[in-house]
Amino acid sequence: MMVLHFDGELTLLLLSLAAVCILNLPLLAVMPVRCEVLGKKSSIAMFLVAILLGFYVSGNKVMTTVSSEIAKIDSTGFLMASALTFLIMITLSLRDIPASVQQVMVMCIAGIAVGSCAAINTGKIVEIVLSWIGSILLSASISLLLYPRLRSVFNSLTPLKREAGMRVFMILVLFLLSMASGSSTVATAVSPLSIVTDSKAVLAGVVMVFAFFGVIARYWLFHAIPPRLLDNLDVSAVALVQMSAALSVFLFSLVGMPVSINHAVFASLFVVSYLKDIRILERKVIRNFVRNGLGVPLLSFIAGAVVSAIM
Amino acid sequence: MGIVSKLLAPFRSTLENDVFKALVELANLSSTTCSMLIRMIESDNKNLVRKISKNERHGDEIRRNVEKLLFEGAFLPQSRPLFFTLAERMDSVIDSIEDCAKIYEAAQQIDEEIKRRVLHILDVTKEACDCFCDALLSFFRGDERRMQEKIAVINEIEARIDDVKHEVFKSMVRSRDKCFWKEKCMEDFVDSAEEISDKLQDAADTLSVIAASMKV
């Protein structure tokens, strides 16, 4: 049975969720459109179906972890966490700093719990932080294992079959990546909403609506441009990078861990560019990645603690 | 297009197959047109120029068709400019064969020795055209080793033709005939015959780049 507290609270939650979806969801799932393998409509349809599937398969576990296993805070605390996530994500995106919704949300909740002297599950937070590192390592390992195999399979095909195979591979990657988004990013973004409603159908509806507007806005605003770093790689390598990240994130979400797709992509990109002997990731980029990976969660934690202490 | 066809579209290579057929046709056309030019010079039958021009126009049509297929979505976007260049370069081979035929048609008289040497150049060029057809087929069959072998043969032939051309020029300089227009016609004739293999080498280089760029 759906239980809603008051309109303002819900509106703010939905707004935060929308912003998070618009900023993050379709960031990587644009390659088939860019390569004209799928039309925008088919791509959006597949994206939404896969997001919903991912959300249903393992999103629930991630939602439970974020909403009830990190800390015992009330709905106002979650409202604050959601609004803070929204603000931090918007600010970082405007400054072109890649950040993970999962990291920001988890650390905001932890910060709010500390600031309001609520019970906090330190073991769970350590587990989540370890899973962030684990997902990076897993994504890199998957790339390391898959790259030589993928290369030998594709290179043994005739050019025409290779082209057809590449198209199918890109569609598969779009599906996997969208599923991973649904099971991790969307589930994390929706988790505060699970406090005010216990209906999975309502949550799924909200996910679909905001994922839809998110992907439309992303296409409209950014003309389906994938991250700049990936522009230096060929299509097959980009697809492999995304597949490794998607598999890694999906596997972690199956055990209820909210891990970042962006960070998994970065790790996989590092491995693939090393194997291809292409220097894509300069020292400055790696330094920024490490700095943001450490700095953004810390900033979110401090922001959460300060805001909840003031309020 | 029905929904089923739309869903299956990414799994098919219809457009790519059409591009492949058109490129093979263009390669065969360049070989046929080169044979026609050899026949024209051997038999001194200047009426064959019309047939060569017809082939040139047909080559243009095939090139336009390839370009249209690429615009319709054949191959992934990053490969398309290369296939576009390949079609243009293959078409320019036929254009240069036509140029050579027209220069021969316009020339009043060509020295027999020069004619003999140009025929030798064209014979070897025809061999290079056949090698290019073979390289193209090997590429589409996925036999990259054979393709590279054929491209190496084309490069070797082009180097040989260059040597022959320079020998012809040396003999022209040494000749006592100093009629400017006659010499000019002969020089243009030799140049145009040599240019065919140059264009063919450019096309072969593009094919090599395509093969490298399509590898994972």
Side-chain angles (χ1 to χ4, degrees):
Chain A
M1 193 54 205
M2 190 173 71
V3 181
L4 299 177
H5 292 285
F6 56 90
D7 283 351
E9 190 175 287
L10 182 69
T11 312
L12 200 54
L13 272 172
L14 290 179
L15 272 175
S16 315
L17 177 63
V20 166
C21 286
I22 287 170
L23 285 169
N24 280 279
L25 282 184
L27 189 66
L28 300 165
V30 292
M31 199 175 59
V33 177
R34 207 186 187 203
C35 291
E36 296 167 31
V37 172
L38 282 177
K40 277 188 185 175
K41 283 179 194 166
S42 329
S43 171
I44 290 171
M46 183 178 274
F47 177 74
L48 293 178
V49 169
I51 280 221
L52 200 60
L53 190 68
F55 181 69
Y56 263 100
V57 170
S58 57
N60 205 26
K61 286 178 185 166
V62 174
M63 243 165 39
T64 312
T65 307
V66 176
S67 61
S68 58
E69 289 180 9
I70 298 171
K72 299 280 174 217
I73 54 172
D74 56 6
S75 57
T76 318
F78 275 106
L79 176 69
M80 255 195 283
S82 195
L84 264 178
T85 306
F86 164 78
L87 282 174
I88 291 170
M89 290 304 293
I90 288 274
T91 314
L92 294 178
S93 293
L94 288 175
R95 295 184 66 86
D96 217 11
I97 298 170
S100 150
V101 185
Q102 290 88 336
Q103 292 187 352
V104 175
M105 180 72 88
V106 167
M107 294 319 274
C108 277
I109 291 172
I112 287 165
V114 169
S116 59
C117 300
I120 184 165
N121 187 348
T122 322
K124 197 71 193 177
I125 291 176
V126 171
E127 219 176 281
I128 291 172
V129 172
L130 286 177
S131 77
W132 293 342
I133 299 163
S135 70
I136 290 172
L137 296 175
L138 182 65
S139 176
S141 312
I142 293 173
S143 304
L144 202 63
L145 283 173
L146 285 185
Y147 182 72
R149 280 170 183 75
L150 185 89
R151 196 175 178 173
S152 66
V153 167
F154 272 116
N155 287 345
S156 66
L157 298 172
T158 64
L160 298 188
K161 282 184 183 159
R162 203 181 300 159
E163 285 276 314
M166 201 71 82
R167 284 197 292 258
V168 175
F169 185 50
M170 268 192 265
I171 294 171
L172 178 77
V173 168
L174 167 68
F175 199 82
L176 280 174
L177 201 63
S178 309
M179 262 185 84
S181 292
S183 63
S184 185
T185 313
V186 173
T188 309
V190 173
S191 51
L193 198 64
S194 69
I195 304 295
V196 289
T197 172
D198 53 3
S199 162
K200 208 169 180 184
V202 171
L203 289 175
V206 171
V207 165
M208 288 303 279
V209 169
F210 284 114
F212 177 76
F213 284 112
V215 75
I216 297 284
R218 174 58 76 169
Y219 280 132
W220 178 62
L221 288 172
F222 301 99
H223 309 286
I225 298 171
R228 264 165 290 158
L229 280 175
L230 297 179
D231 278 357
N232 298 319
L233 279 181
D234 56 284
V235 175
S236 55
V238 174
L240 177 74
V241 164
Q242 296 187 343
M243 191 173 81
S244 311
L247 283 175
S248 162
V249 170
F250 189 68
L251 288 175
F252 270 94
S253 69
L254 281 175
V255 289
M257 288 296 123
V259 294
S260 160
I261 294 183
N262 285 346
H263 291 178
V265 163
F266 193 90
S268 178
L269 186 64
F270 182 81
V271 170
V272 172
S273 60
Y274 174 76
L275 291 174
K276 282 183 84 79
D277 207 9
I278 306 171
R279 206 175 155 180
I280 294 175
L281 302 171
E282 288 164 11
R283 267 191 192 166
K284 192 182 156 197
V285 180
I286 298 171
R287 207 171 46 230
N288 283 347
F289 172 75
V290 176
R291 197 185 59 198
N292 295 338
L294 295 172
V296 171
L298 191 66
L299 171 85
S300 309
F301 180 80
I302 294 169
V306 169
V307 168
S308 70
I310 292 169
M311 292 182 83
Chain B
M1 209 195 280
I3 293 172
V4 178
S5 307
K6 262 188 176 178
L7 286 173
L8 292 175
F11 303 93
R12 290 196 196 127
S13 309
T14 321
L15 290 172
E16 284 84 359
N17 261 317
D18 291 345
V19 170
F20 160 59
K21 281 176 195 160
L23 289 175
V24 170
E25 193 186 349
L26 201 55
N28 285 328
L29 193 68
S30 62
S31 177
T32 315
T33 316
C34 192
S35 303
M36 225 175 249
L37 177 64
I38 294 169
R39 230 180 322 133
M40 177 187 159
I41 297 170
E42 274 174 349
S43 60
D44 203 22
N45 179 3
K46 294 189 175 177
N47 289 332
L48 279 172
V49 172
R50 255 174 276 146
K51 281 190 178 172
I52 290 173
S53 293
K54 202 177 155 190
N55 277 4
E56 192 274 328
R57 282 194 295 277
H58 185 44
D60 286 344
E61 271 171 36
I62 298 172
R63 174 181 50 81
R64 275 194 286 271
N65 185 35
V66 170
E67 288 167 357
K68 193 182 115 231
L69 289 166
L70 291 171
F71 271 113
E72 280 172 11
F75 295 100
L76 293 174
Q78 86 264 23
S79 305
R80 280 180 212 154
L82 291 170
F83 277 99
F84 201 93
T85 310
L86 179 66
E88 287 198 325
R89 288 190 169 171
M90 285 170 72
D91 181 42
S92 72
V93 173
I94 308 176
D95 290 351
S96 55
I97 294 174
E98 192 200 22
D99 280 348
C100 184
K102 287 200 166 159
I103 289 169
Y104 181 75
E105 186 196 24
Q108 293 294 318
Q109 65 179 112
I110 303 270
D111 192 88
E112 279 305 312
E113 177 57 20
I114 301 287
K115 208 163 144 181
R116 192 184 62 77
R117 289 194 176 192
V118 167
L119 274 172
H120 173 65
I121 289 177
L122 290 175
D123 278 335
V124 185
T125 306
K126 164 80 174 67
E127 198 186 314
C129 284
D130 293 339
C131 274
F132 185 78
C133 289
D134 207 344
L136 196 65
L137 285 170
S138 305
F139 166 69
F140 280 108
R141 277 193 214 113
D143 188 352
E144 207 187 309
R145 201 170 155 190
R146 188 175 169 85
M147 184 200 80
Q148 292 299 351
E149 279 170 14
K150 293 294 167 188
I151 288 175
V153 173
I154 293 170
N155 290 336
E156 198 185 301
I157 287 175
E158 204 277 331
R160 259 160 58 198
I161 289 175
D162 263 358
D163 293 343
V164 174
K165 186 185 107 172
H166 288 117
E167 276 174 31
V168 175
F169 280 155
K170 272 183 207 162
S171 69
M172 278 165 70
V173 169
R174 274 190 237 111
S175 82
R176 290 180 182 180
D177 197 348
K178 296 294 177 198
C179 169
F180 172 78
W181 288 110
K182 192 182 167 189
E183 292 286 305
K184 167 91 172 80
C185 273
M186 283 202 286
E187 193 202 334
D188 286 351
F189 181 49
V190 176
D191 262 344
S192 63
E194 188 265 346
E195 205 181 279
I196 303 168
S197 62
D198 267 353
K199 304 272 183 191
L200 204 60
Q201 192 186 31
D202 289 345
D205 287 345
T206 310
L207 185 63
S208 192
V209 172
I210 289 175
S213 73
M214 284 180 86
K215 280 184 98 177
V216 174

